[in-house]
Amino acid sequence: MTEFKPRILITLGDPKGIGPEVIAKALGDPTVAARARFELVGNEALFERACELTGTEARFAKISKIDLPEGPSAEQRGKYVYDALCSAVEICLQGQADGLVTGPLEKAALWDAGHCVPGHTEILGRLCDAAPVMMLAGGPLRVVPLTTHVALREVPDQLSCELVYDIALTVARSLKLDFGLDDPKLALTGLNPHAGEGGCYGNEEKTILEPAAEKLKAQGVRIDGPLPADTAFYKAAQGEYDAVLSPTHDQALIPVKLLAFRSCVNITCGLPIVRTSPGHGTAFDIAWQGVADAGAMIAAIETAVLIAQKRRK
Amino acid sequence: MTEFKPRILITLGDPKGIGPEVIAKALGDPTVAARARFELVGNEALFERACELTGTEARFAKISKIDLPEGPSAEQRGKYVYDALCSAVEICLQGQADGLVTGPLEKAALWDAGHCVPGHTEILGRLCDAAPVMMLAGGPLRVVPLTTHVALREVPDQLSCELVYDIALTVARSLKLDFGLDDPKLALTGLNPHAGEGGCYGNEEKTILEPAAEKLKAQGVRIDGPLPADTAFYKAAQGEYDAVLSPTHDQALIPVKLLAFRSCVNITCGLPIVRTSPGHGTAFDIAWQGVADAGAMIAAIETAVLIAQKRRK
């Protein structure tokens, strides 16, 4: 039986960043190019420049063109990136594409263009009218930060039993739907050292995390925790858990970037559409030199293809 | 030239834990046994039982005997562990030993015996009249948590420029004295996601960490940061840094335990004596079954030997 070859959209991301060149490199790889029917969403001239820079011969039947002035200001870059994302999401929601991979954007440019959100995930949630959850996957790990771009001082007050419950449920569903796991097993790490060591160092484990875990178990979700964070990721890397949920951004991202720095993929769970992106940012400091590593973009494309195939089944 | 063979003391740790058996296993390894002149500090019958359990033939000329009643209560275990530690430190301070490796203790037993401290490190600081700093070493990483056993909610207020400065200076000195690095390079990670991203998510980077780093540089310490924690450990693992200092316990311990779960060593920097221990705890749940892995104890012994040799030079 021929494998389903999904239609995958790719936005080029910020024109000043490494997005265009890593996309050109990725699609210049015949193995990657053969995996799906790709369609770009962005500026045609920009992508041609990226192909020239990287010496790739990526040619596409389709590119959804988005206007971008020459030598764009931050505001113009922000508008361009936002327009491309809206256009791509619209195509997916209309059922004309099976998944979306996004190139990295710059938050400051987005803000200059009047879109004051931390990044892609929040915009996607609004455009899809859904509650998106960010998952990072790399090497043997899938991790989910329960809070993301917030000062550490505010994390304890941002956590709630409802927040943990809702995110864990979304993750458990995504592991079934998107990754084909029949009965996924989650780990929940503590907020405090040693998961509070029985209340010696903070009580959020007892007041928030334990009740959330109990409520999830009552709903049939397999979840262990709150576990000491310094051992949970080792166990997950050994295959004991399908995903680890962590109260802080750094708890979750340190281990996955340590084990898979060059192939870390961001997956947005809980959306009606399939969406992935490379785990890195715009990397302005090395952009348009042709040196950027396409490993994470290739991994993001592969992951989007696999999820689109799983959802089709 | 014959290599200096240091005198290394080993305390057996809590009698209910895995300390005695992993020490017996470690010393039963001829390569380990040949590395130093070892002397145990603890209960003789306890160690004999551990040797029988593990089928090891470890025989010692010297054991500094510490009283331990049969079937000890938690209070008696705490007193025994504390007495052994005091005795061992005294021997080291008198110059009759070159280093100390400690078996794991149980905090609750220590507290029952009236010693209300989080663990070995604090007792060692008091006995040696010094400001000890906990370093964990494993695989390619050396990490130092700037705060340890404290609720996450309290971490931002526990951090201060002086704290970071004092710890970093102790670590830089230890890397020279104990590890023989001529010009060590440190990384300091941020407290907040993306190291605060220019003040967007918390300001401790600007008010505490940056001033501390500047003050350290003025003292000739090579230090980068505050860096985003989710990329700093990857860079350190690639060899870019000799140690990483992190505001929270979990930031520091997650990566080192992920890369070196079975060989992680705790090193107390800033003491007049050499002291190491395995990175694990008492593991009551698997103790006295003979199944405990001695890898971390062997690594702790090796590290103590190497540091004692460096200090001798």
Side-chain angles (χ1 to χ4, degrees), chain B residues 37 40 43 74 86 128 133 153 157 170 194 196 239 252 274 303 307:
Chain B
R37 293 167 288 161
L40 297 176
N43 183 269
C86 289
C128 296
V133 171
R153 190 183 283 277
D157 291 331
T170 298
H194 309 182
V274 174
T303 305
I307 295 176

Side-chain angles (χ1 to χ4, degrees), chain A residues 107 118 141 148-153 155-157 190-195 197 200-204 228-231 233-235 237 248-259 261-262, chain B residues 107 111 118 141 148-153 155-157 190-194 197 200-204 228-231 233-235 237 248-259 261-262:
Chain A
K107 192 184 74 172
L141 293 176
T148 52
H149 299 120
V150 52
L152 191 83
R153 189 184 284 277
V155 166
D157 292 331
L191 172 71
N192 297 297
H194 308 185
E197 196 150 341
C200 290
Y201 321 128
N203 63 359
E204 290 83 0
D230 58 352
T231 55
F233 293 99
Y234 170 76
K235 291 180 183 173
T248 78
H249 174 277
D250 283 351
Q251 277 185 343
L253 267 65
I254 286 171
V256 74
K257 292 213 169 176
L258 184 61
L259 295 190
F261 192 77
R262 293 180 184 283
Chain B
K107 192 184 72 171
W111 285 43
L141 293 176
T148 52
H149 298 120
V150 51
L152 191 84
R153 190 183 283 277
V155 166
D157 291 331
L191 172 72
N192 298 298
H194 309 182
E197 195 150 341
C200 289
Y201 321 128
N203 64 359
E204 290 84 359
D230 58 353
T231 55
F233 293 98
Y234 171 77
K235 291 179 183 172
T248 78
H249 174 277
D250 284 351
Q251 276 185 342
L253 267 64
I254 286 171
V256 74
K257 293 212 169 177
L258 185 61
L259 294 190
F261 192 76
R262 293 179 185 282

Side-chain angles (χ1 to χ4, degrees), chain B residues 4-312:
Chain B
F4 166 59
K5 218 169 175 176
R7 290 160 301 176
I8 300 290
L9 299 185
I10 307 180
T11 61
L12 297 177
D14 194 291
K16 261 181 70 184
I18 60 171
E21 65 195 276
V22 295
I23 292 165
K25 278 187 189 176
L27 295 176
D29 179 330
T31 315
V32 177
R35 296 282 283 127
R37 293 167 288 161
F38 294 102
E39 179 177 335
L40 297 176
V41 183
N43 183 269
E44 205 167 10
L46 187 71
F47 188 64
E48 274 170 18
R49 272 207 291 139
C51 286
E52 273 169 38
L53 175 76
T54 55
T56 49
E57 288 289 332
R59 286 289 167 266
F60 292 88
K62 288 186 80 175
I63 177 159
S64 286
K65 292 171 193 170
I66 308 291
D67 285 341
L68 177 69
E70 282 289 311
S73 65
E75 184 186 336
Q76 288 167 331
R77 288 188 286 111
K79 183 182 183 309
Y80 159 79
V81 163
Y82 186 81
D83 289 348
L85 185 61
C86 289
S87 175
V89 170
E90 185 63 25
I91 296 168
C92 289
L93 286 174
Q94 286 171 355
Q96 292 167 29
D98 303 299
L100 167 63
V101 179
T102 58
L105 57 75
E106 189 201 23
K107 192 184 72 171
L110 207 59
W111 285 43
D112 281 349
H115 307 292
C116 298
V117 290
H120 275 114
T121 306
E122 295 75 11
I123 301 174
L124 288 160
R126 211 173 51 208
L127 293 175
C128 296
D129 194 21
V133 171
M134 180 171 84
M135 173 191 281
L136 275 288
L141 293 176
R142 293 187 197 95
V143 303
V144 177
L146 295 167
T147 63
T148 52
H149 298 120
V150 51
L152 191 84
R153 190 183 283 277
E154 293 166 25
V155 166
D157 291 331
Q158 283 227 346
L159 282 182
S160 69
C161 186
E162 292 67 36
L163 178 91
V164 178
Y165 177 81
D166 290 345
I167 291 177
L169 217 54
T170 298
V171 170
R173 284 176 183 153
S174 171
L175 290 171
K176 290 181 190 177
L177 177 69
D178 298 330
F179 295 90
L181 303 174
D182 286 337
D183 192 16
K185 190 169 180 192
L186 308 181
L188 173 63
T189 65
L191 172 72
N192 298 298
H194 309 182
E197 195 150 341
C200 289
Y201 321 128
N203 64 359
E204 290 84 359
E205 283 75 15
K206 287 187 187 301
T207 58
I208 298 169
L209 303 176
E210 286 175 19
E214 288 312 313
K215 206 175 149 192
L216 286 157
K217 284 178 199 164
Q219 290 296 315
V221 176
R222 288 206 300 160
I223 185 164
D224 280 357
L227 305 170
D230 58 353
T231 55
F233 293 98
Y234 171 77
K235 291 179 183 172
Q238 298 295 306
E240 207 167 310
Y241 299 107
D242 297 302
V244 185
L245 284 67
S246 288
T248 78
H249 174 277
D250 284 351
Q251 276 185 342
L253 267 64
I254 286 171
V256 74
K257 293 212 169 177
L258 185 61
L259 294 190
F261 192 76
R262 293 179 185 282
S263 60
C264 187
V265 178
N266 181 342
I267 300 147
T268 314
C269 306
L271 294 181
I273 68 172
V274 174
R275 184 261 171 163
T276 69
S277 73
H280 58 67
T282 50
F284 285 162
D285 54 324
I286 59 158
W288 293 101
Q289 298 170 26
V291 297
D293 189 305
M297 178 54 78
I298 291 172
I301 291 171
E302 285 285 341
T303 305
V305 169
L306 290 171
I307 295 176
Q309 288 171 338
K310 284 282 176 212
R311 284 206 184 180
R312 171 85 161 201

Side-chain angles (χ1 to χ4, degrees), chain A residues 10-20 22-23 41 46 73-86 88-89 100-127 134 149 266 268 275-285 287 297, chain B residues 194 197 201:
Chain A
I10 307 181
T11 61
L12 297 177
D14 194 290
K16 260 181 69 184
I18 61 171
V22 296
I23 292 164
V41 183
L46 186 71
S73 65
E75 184 186 337
Q76 289 167 329
R77 287 187 287 113
K79 182 182 184 308
Y80 159 79
V81 163
Y82 187 80
D83 289 349
L85 185 61
C86 290
V89 169
L100 167 62
V101 179
T102 59
L105 57 74
E106 189 200 23
K107 192 184 74 172
L110 207 60
W111 285 43
D112 281 348
H115 307 290
C116 299
V117 290
H120 275 115
T121 306
E122 295 75 11
I123 301 173
L124 288 160
R126 211 172 51 208
L127 293 175
M134 180 171 85
H149 299 120
N266 182 343
T268 312
R275 184 259 172 165
T276 69
S277 73
H280 58 67
T282 50
F284 285 162
D285 55 323
M297 178 54 79
Chain B
H194 309 182
E197 195 150 341
Y201 321 128

